[in-house]
Amino acid sequence: MGVEPSIHDRPGTARVLLSSALWAFLALSSAVLFLGALLLWALTRPFDADGRALHLYSCFWAQVYFYLNPWWHLRVEGREHLPWRGAAVLVSNHESLGDILVLFGLYRPFKWVSKAENFKLPLIGWNMRLNGYVPLIRGDHASVLRMMAGCERWLSRGVPILMFPEGTRARDGKMKAFKDGAFTLCVQQRCPLIPMVLSGTALTLPKHPLVFQKTVHARVRVLEPIDPADFAGDVHALRDHVRDLMVREKARMEAERTARG
């Protein structure tokens, strides 16, 4: 059985060089792909106010780095649980910056809730603005209220949103406590909540280092939608149920990966 590399392993020269090449390719390709996004935004805005076409293009943009990297592999299970149309709150655990690339591989319409500083990034941040994703300043009450209002507007238009209920990436890959926001939205908007579990993404790019793991086997499992009506408006009960469900599912996925070797 092979040994899974640790997120704390000291990177070798080959990994550093590969990571440098990947960052350079990401920067150069983003310049070209952003021009495509800008053109698509201008052409589709008159008849696609929700930006569905642009979001799917952004999914392709993110997946390019999986398509062209022979050492990175992504497996998505349960995509059929995700709606093409209709309000829904999608929640996922958060292990790495690589989660963003992975979850774009869902190829379904949704709006990200993301840190406000990400919107300031050249090219990628500009594309986030074109898409109408929702910014958030963590710990800022006024920003939280604006984020909730922005999510409510998209949900009222029948566009799903995607949130990381842990709020930030975990250092050790273990699931942190969940915040209430996603579950409050779900209860208030009376829309389904769809849990998703990531596995293997902590090794793409851990919380602080800029060195990628050479070989990555990332996996996303989309679970069945949950009706908030089953919890009679109890946000905390819904939150705790979903977290317990996701923790169990992640343990199951890790056990399956270990069994496969």
Side-chain angles (χ1 to χ4, degrees):
M1 182 183 298
V3 177
E4 191 77 42
S6 166
I7 63 176
H8 303 295
D9 286 347
R10 184 184 297 275
T13 302
R15 270 179 56 198
V16 172
L17 292 175
L18 176 62
S19 298
S20 299
L22 285 172
W23 282 116
F25 176 68
L26 187 147
L28 292 172
S29 60
S30 293
V32 174
L33 289 164
F34 176 72
L35 293 177
L38 190 61
L39 178 61
L40 183 62
W41 174 81
L43 292 174
T44 60
R45 186 166 176 78
F47 58 87
D48 184 18
D50 293 337
R52 295 174 186 271
L54 180 59
H55 174 78
L56 292 175
Y57 175 87
S58 300
C59 291
F60 167 77
W61 177 344
Q63 288 297 288
V64 161
Y65 307 109
F66 274 90
Y67 297 150
L68 299 181
N69 187 334
W71 296 288
W72 284 13
H73 308 277
L74 172 60
R75 179 180 176 186
V76 179
E77 303 169 351
R79 189 184 276 116
E80 67 275 8
H81 296 312
L82 296 170
W84 279 104
R85 293 191 178 275
V89 176
L90 318 180
V91 296
S92 171
N93 58 310
H94 197 12
E95 297 187 344
S96 161
L97 183 62
D99 297 345
I100 309 301
L101 300 180
V102 167
L103 289 172
F104 268 122
L106 295 170
Y107 278 104
R108 288 293 187 275
F110 59 81
K111 301 297 180 183
W112 288 98
V113 174
S114 183
K115 294 187 300 184
E117 51 261 43
N118 290 339
F119 290 78
K120 300 176 183 178
L121 294 171
L123 304 171
I124 292 174
W126 303 342
N127 183 57
M128 293 172 68
R129 291 182 182 277
L130 289 181
N131 271 281
Y133 298 152
V134 184
L136 171 66
I137 301 174
R138 288 201 300 264
D140 184 312
H141 182 66
S143 177
V144 171
L145 293 178
R146 289 193 297 271
M147 178 273 292
M148 294 290 281
C151 289
E152 288 171 0
R153 284 194 295 272
W154 283 121
L155 291 170
S156 70
R157 293 168 68 105
V159 180
I161 61 163
L162 192 155
M163 303 177 73
F164 293 115
E166 293 166 277
T168 186
R169 302 192 297 277
R171 287 178 179 269
D172 56 7
K174 295 181 180 179
M175 216 172 295
K176 300 171 65 176
F178 283 5
K179 300 182 184 299
D180 290 345
F183 309 97
T184 299
L185 282 168
C186 183
V187 168
Q188 290 179 346
Q189 299 297 310
R190 300 178 182 178
C191 64
L193 186 139
I194 304 177
M196 301 181 295
V197 182
L198 301 174
S199 176
T201 61
L203 297 175
T204 55
L205 190 63
K207 186 173 176 66
H208 294 298
L210 296 178
V211 179
F212 293 92
Q213 181 65 41
K214 180 178 177 181
T215 303
V216 171
H217 294 276
R219 190 175 175 191
V220 185
R221 180 171 289 173
V222 183
L223 307 184
E224 293 187 5
I226 296 172
D227 186 348
D230 294 341
F231 296 84
D234 189 334
V235 170
H236 292 171
L238 174 61
R239 178 200 65 197
D240 294 345
H241 170 77
V242 171
R243 185 180 182 280
D244 289 345
L245 183 68
M246 291 172 64
V247 167
R248 290 196 303 270
E249 195 63 39
K250 181 172 172 58
R252 186 178 296 114
M253 292 168 69
E254 297 290 351
E256 292 171 359
R257 183 172 63 179
T258 300
R260 288 197 304 270

